[in-house]
Amino acid sequence: MSDAGGGGTTVVHGAAELVVGPRDGTPGDGRPLDVVEDGAFAAVDGEVVAVGPTAAVTREYPPENADAAVDASGRAVVPGFVDPHTHAVFAGDRSDEFAAKLRGKSYREILAEGGGILRTVRATRAASDDALVENLRGRLDAMLARGTTTVEVKSGYGLETETELRLLDAIDRANDEHPVDVVATFLGAHAVPEGRDPDDYVDEVVEEQLPAVADRGVAEFCDAFCEEGAFDVAQSRRVLEAGRERGLAPKVHAEELSHLGGTKLAAEVGATSADHLLYATDEDVAALVEAGTVPVLLPGTAFGLGADYADARAFLDAGASPALATDFNPNCHSLDMGFVQTLACVEMGLTPAESLRSATRNAALALGRDDGTGTLRPGAPADALVLDAPSYAHVAYRFDTSAVETVLKGGRPVVEGGEVLA
Ligand code: NIG
Ligand code: FE
């Protein structure tokens, strides 16, 4: 369908529907997307330079002169998905915990017995650097084939300086070698290592791990799991403030399994995002809106745990622009942002347009990307998906197959026919 192009000029034309990005207006105004029928966009050196009706775009950028041209007739074109919350670098297998959870064992009980995160930590510490990169690369391939063009990946399965650095190095290497843009988050405060006093471990994160991570320049964000059985508000605050002092923007795992106060903490420390929020109150939501912190909702986690979902409508009604993410990790083995959008529509009350906006532009903002990422407006990176369907509604409408046919990353075709190109 497309000529194999490198840099240079790319033209995608004739799209039955082309989603440019969010419309101006309030997030909950019911018209969340700008859509052009018989639409096209052109990109030069990886950046969108023109978007609009096919006739107008191709007059200026004729497809026959382009280095890569995609005839998208009968198909919808949407911005590449941004997945702003994953734990995709780890070793080992925890599929048996799925059965235990189905028998009624809780996530926190498993963790308290040394399973869950702590079990993945043991397997990850024992894995080689190459094995960690190889695991991550395979997952990035699967994500890209399903339309994710930018992804955040957290460390947090090392819980000691050496392995945390190895994980962040693996993320850095994958970012260099793989078409997907990978954004790194340091999550030394993911769990208290076995046999350690929590405050003593927080001292280590703040005094040893963080300085090493910051010196190496391998993380953009610093996250903390603010939860009973993990880190309380005071401990999380210490980590996040220390991270901020060293140039790492804060993110928080907040109100995932209980209400502890992580959302207000996120607002107070000026976090870029507060994530999970299943137990967030109206007051919490108002605090996020006031602080400009992006709420990140992860319906796959609730689905996998058989838990209640976050109230996405409450976030929209309060004037927030919620983002969606997979939370891919051994407890939530899903890397498909399309399925996340299905869940957001069916279980959290979003429309297909709202869920697409949450999985693209809002998700980019949850990573502090204010350069147009998650849109196809001029100046944005030319990260785009051609669907094998005439409407963007197919993204959320389908749930056992991906609607993504072709993926362009920086204007370059990297997936065709649903397969990652070598
Ligand atoms: O976002 N809650 C903490 N971290 C992950 C789970 C990680 C794991 O269970 O390995 C989450 O759900
Ligand atoms: Fe998480």
Side-chain angles (χ1 to χ4, degrees), residues 85 87 154 253 276 327 329:
H85 181 141
H87 307 252
K154 302 173 196 296
H253 277 70
H276 284 292
D327 197 21
N329 74 70

Side-chain angles (χ1 to χ4, degrees), residues 85 87 94 97 107 116-117 120 154 157 187 190 225 253 256-257 276 298 301 327 329-332:
H85 181 141
H87 307 252
R94 277 169 38 204
E97 289 178 6
Y107 180 85
I117 295 172
T120 303
K154 302 173 196 296
Y157 292 115
L187 180 54
H190 195 193
F225 185 18
H253 277 70
E256 176 178 359
L257 306 166
H276 284 292
L298 303 127
T301 315
D327 197 21
N329 74 70
N331 180 56
C332 178

Side-chain angles (χ1 to χ4, degrees), residues 165-166 168-169 172 210-219:
L165 288 177
R166 291 207 297 127
L168 291 165
D169 282 346
D172 198 43
L210 251 170
V213 168
D215 284 353
R216 209 176 182 96
V218 280

Side-chain angles (χ1 to χ4, degrees), residues 15-18 35 72-77 387-394 398:
E17 276 180 4
L18 187 141
V35 181
S73 47
R75 292 160 160 74
V77 174
L387 309 183
D388 67 353
S391 166
Y392 71 81
H394 276 254
R398 293 195 201 172

Side-chain angles (χ1 to χ4, degrees), residues 123-373:
T124 302
R125 286 179 180 172
S128 69
D129 293 349
D130 285 345
L132 291 172
V133 174
E134 214 32 60
N135 282 349
L136 177 55
R137 222 184 260 135
R139 292 166 191 151
L140 294 176
D141 277 349
M143 290 172 177
L144 183 63
R146 290 163 180 78
T148 297
T149 47
T150 300
V151 64
E152 183 252 23
V153 179
K154 302 173 196 296
S155 67
Y157 292 115
L159 308 186
E160 63 185 12
T161 304
E162 187 202 335
T163 316
E164 285 295 312
L165 288 177
R166 291 207 297 127
L167 291 170
L168 291 165
D169 282 346
I171 295 169
D172 198 43
R173 242 174 89 186
N175 182 43
D176 284 347
E177 295 169 6
H178 200 279
V180 173
D181 273 329
V182 191
V183 178
T185 295
F186 168 59
L187 180 54
H190 195 193
V192 180
E194 284 172 293
R196 292 289 297 274
D197 169 72
D199 284 314
D200 184 56
Y201 179 66
V202 170
D203 286 344
E204 179 188 317
V205 172
V206 169
E207 289 160 18
E208 190 188 311
Q209 295 183 18
L210 251 170
V213 168
D215 284 353
R216 209 176 182 96
V218 280
E220 187 173 333
F221 293 99
C222 176
D223 196 344
F225 185 18
C226 185
E227 185 61 64
E228 271 171 43
F231 301 93
D232 65 23
V233 172
Q235 291 161 341
S236 302
R237 185 192 300 276
R238 262 194 82 197
V239 171
L240 298 173
E241 286 181 347
R244 204 179 45 192
E245 273 164 31
R246 293 189 176 268
L248 274 63
K251 281 180 165 282
V252 190
H253 277 70
E255 335 302 357
E256 176 178 359
L257 306 166
S258 62
H259 188 272
L260 201 69
T263 318
K264 283 214 176 123
L265 171 65
E268 282 164 22
V269 299
T272 306
S273 72
D275 303 37
H276 284 292
L277 308 172
L278 268 72
Y279 294 90
T281 63
D282 290 349
E283 234 179 85
D284 292 331
V285 179
L288 289 185
V289 173
E290 172 79 21
T293 297
V294 179
V296 177
L297 309 180
L298 303 127
T301 315
F303 179 75
L305 291 172
D308 291 336
Y309 291 80
D311 183 358
R313 186 55 53 193
F315 287 90
L316 284 169
D317 290 347
S321 297
L324 291 167
T326 60
D327 197 21
F328 177 81
N329 74 70
N331 180 56
C332 178
H333 215 285
S334 166
L335 36 69
D336 186 347
M337 283 294 286
F339 181 58
V340 164
Q341 290 171 73
T342 303
L343 289 177
C345 291
V346 174
E347 301 288 359
M348 302 199 316
L350 295 188
T351 65
E354 288 166 340
S355 70
L356 181 58
R357 174 180 173 148
S358 299
T360 52
R361 181 68 181 138
N362 296 358
L365 294 176
L367 294 178
R369 294 291 183 274
D370 204 6
D371 59 352
T373 299

Side-chain angles (χ1 to χ4, degrees), residues 12-20 33-40 52 54 72-79 356 376 385-387 389-394:
V12 177
H13 57 95
E17 276 180 4
L18 187 141
V19 174
V20 182
L33 294 174
D34 253 344
V35 181
V36 183
E37 285 176 19
D38 190 11
T54 292
S73 47
R75 292 160 160 74
V77 174
V78 304
L356 181 58
L376 292 172
L385 316 178
V386 183
L387 309 183
S391 166
Y392 71 81
H394 276 254

